[in-house]
Amino acid sequence: MSIISIKNVSKNYGQKKVLDSVSLEIEKGEIFGLLGSNGAGKSTITKIILGLEKPTSGNIVYYEGRQINIKEKLTLVPQDIAAYKNFSVEKNLEFFASISGLSGDLKKNKINFLLNWLNLNEFRKTKTSFLSGGYQRLLNIAISLISDPEIIFLDEPTVGLDPLMRKMFWDKIKELRNQGKTIILTTHYMDEAQNLCTKIALLKKGKLLTIGKPIDLIREYGGIKVTVLKLTSMILDDDLPKIRAAINNRNVIVRDKYLFVPVEQEHGFEKIVALTQWLISRGYSIDYSTTKEPDLEDVFLQLTGEKMKTDN
Ligand SMILES: Nc1ncnc2c1ncn2[C@@H]1O[C@H](COP(=O)(O)OP(=O)(O)OP(=O)(O)O)[C@@H](O)[C@H]1O
Ligand SMILES: [Mg+2]
């Protein structure tokens, strides 16, 4: 069931078209990833969905059975820290809870729940400026969840986090989904999108290139599995046709000591074994071998022609 329909949305800033007739359906309970290089239009479309910017043309429809009051249901977890640095963690939550209209036991219980759930309890009395960057991010999420939103936008939620903290963020985002929330996130990390998102929209210069489940996009655009064999010596030019013939695969490529073998669906593994035996019988030794599965990075490269920067 769609919860947000984006229909032919375009946005111009002056002469510049930053969104070009983008149409998307976001379903309830999804972790929806907006992907694309810098300037692709991710933040612009997010702002339009949040109602912070108006589209130049096209429109957005919000449903939940009947049309919903979006102001009450959407929340943005911004990349910048929303908390007051001079307040303690608890004081920040109390402040934002009051703004959301909570009071009494309801407010107390909500704050306790969020502090526990996000592992922030031990920092309850800590001044926000003394928290590490990762915990400040967690506090940001806690603040955004006070109003009990249905749809949560996360703008590059894990930039600058260490691997452990990143993993914890992923787990919390998945838990939010399990609670029935809809998550929309932007990210530059392909592994994050692949691990987390149930659906992905890939934008380039304001245009929607594709939309789908990571696994389907990888199947369609990711190319095939490739096994790389590194030998201890150079491969003789004369041997390449023999190698290709030995395993009946014309797409094998040789570069110095490396063999790149596209793994076919049928008998792929047996052919690698046969190739290894053939090489050894000819006096070659294998230094190492590795197999690369196609992933979202390959999809990105294939569709945009750009390599995604993973260091941001
Ligand atoms: N208020 C504005 N006035 C003029 N141009 C703008 C404005 N906001 C965004 N743009 C332009 O619109 C394009 C899309 O920007 P947007 O911030 O949506 O990209 P993004 O995909 O979020 O990029 P990033 O990954 O860098 O955050 C950019 O070329 C940007 O310069
Ligand atoms: Mg942005």
Side-chain angles (χ1 to χ4, degrees):
M1 184 183 75
S2 280
I3 197 164
I4 301 175
S5 274
I6 297 159
K7 296 183 175 167
N8 301 315
V9 164
S10 294
K11 177 76 183 173
N12 295 354
Y13 285 116
Q15 295 295 313
K16 195 170 176 192
K17 191 159 222 163
V18 299
L19 287 177
D20 189 356
S21 198
V22 173
S23 297
L24 297 175
E25 298 284 326
I26 298 173
E27 289 181 22
K28 189 172 164 62
E30 251 174 352
I31 303 181
F32 192 98
L34 286 167
L35 270 55
S37 316
N38 298 123
K42 306 180 295 292
S43 293
T44 306
I45 197 146
T46 303
K47 282 183 219 155
I48 290 174
I49 299 171
L50 283 161
L52 303 171
E53 290 268 5
K54 279 201 171 1
T56 307
S57 61
N59 66 316
I60 307 223
V61 186
Y62 306 85
Y63 310 93
E64 202 187 41
R66 60 203 149 78
Q67 291 237 340
I68 58 172
N69 180 352
I70 54 159
K71 285 264 167 359
E72 288 171 13
K73 301 279 185 177
L74 302 180
T75 193
L76 171 68
V77 182
Q79 206 184 318
D80 307 325
I81 304 303
Y84 290 95
K85 299 270 172 134
N86 283 328
F87 285 4
S88 69
V89 167
E90 184 175 37
K91 189 112 191 282
N92 260 304
L93 290 173
E94 282 175 353
F95 174 74
F96 284 99
S98 300
I99 291 181
S100 289
L102 294 178
S103 61
D105 279 351
L106 214 60
K107 171 164 144 179
K108 217 169 79 187
N109 293 341
K110 184 95 206 176
I111 290 173
N112 283 334
F113 171 80
L114 287 171
L115 286 172
N116 282 322
W117 186 62
L118 291 167
N119 303 342
L120 280 164
N121 224 346
E122 61 177 300
F123 303 113
R124 188 183 269 263
K125 301 288 178 199
T126 305
K127 199 164 135 177
T128 299
S129 58
F130 294 156
L131 290 178
S132 71
Y135 280 96
Q136 291 195 16
R137 290 287 186 77
L138 280 177
L139 178 56
N140 236 18
I141 293 194
I143 287 171
S144 302
L145 294 181
I146 277 184
S147 59
D148 215 5
E150 287 296 317
I151 306 169
I152 301 155
F153 286 81
L154 295 145
D155 198 3
E156 297 189 31
T158 63
V159 171
L161 298 185
D162 69 37
L164 247 149
M165 198 70 156
R166 235 176 134 214
K167 172 79 176 50
M168 179 176 144
F169 260 65
W170 290 359
D171 291 343
K172 294 299 169 193
I173 292 170
K174 285 176 183 168
E175 279 180 45
L176 284 170
R177 177 186 181 223
N178 290 339
Q179 293 162 18
K181 311 283 188 198
T182 305
I183 318 282
I184 302 169
L185 61 88
T186 67
T187 182
H188 283 129
Y189 300 122
M190 293 299 117
D191 60 335
E192 177 160 289
Q194 192 170 325
N195 193 298
L196 211 50
C197 295
T198 55
K199 208 185 268 174
I200 283 167
L202 181 55
L203 294 164
K204 182 180 181 181
K205 293 186 182 152
K207 284 199 165 74
L208 180 70
L209 294 182
T210 190
I211 181 165
K213 290 181 187 166
I215 188 164
D216 292 338
L217 297 182
I218 290 166
R219 206 171 286 143
E220 191 164 355
Y221 302 109
I224 62 170
K225 202 156 83 170
V226 175
T227 294
V228 183
L229 296 174
K230 187 183 178 216
L231 309 187
T232 54
S233 57
M234 300 284 270
I235 298 156
L236 301 176
D237 287 349
D238 286 351
D239 278 342
L240 179 58
K242 294 178 194 159
I243 289 169
R244 286 176 170 167
I247 58 167
N248 192 22
N249 184 337
R250 285 183 295 129
N251 298 317
V252 177
I253 294 173
V254 167
R255 293 268 180 282
D256 303 333
K257 296 179 182 176
Y258 292 90
L259 269 171
F260 298 89
V261 188
V263 183
E264 293 155 341
Q265 295 270 342
E266 297 258 315
H267 309 300
F269 181 69
E270 287 92 325
K271 286 193 175 183
I272 298 293
V273 173
L275 174 61
T276 309
Q277 285 166 351
W278 188 90
L279 289 165
I280 290 168
S281 75
R282 297 297 159 120
Y284 288 107
S285 305
I286 293 165
D287 190 1
Y288 66 77
S289 81
T290 157
T291 297
K292 191 191 163 298
E293 298 277 349
D295 57 20
L296 213 52
E297 196 96 38
D298 298 313
V299 174
F300 191 90
L301 189 66
Q302 172 70 19
L303 289 177
T304 65
E306 301 161 1
K307 186 126 181 76
M308 195 57 158
K309 277 185 278 172
T310 45
D311 56 357
N312 228 29

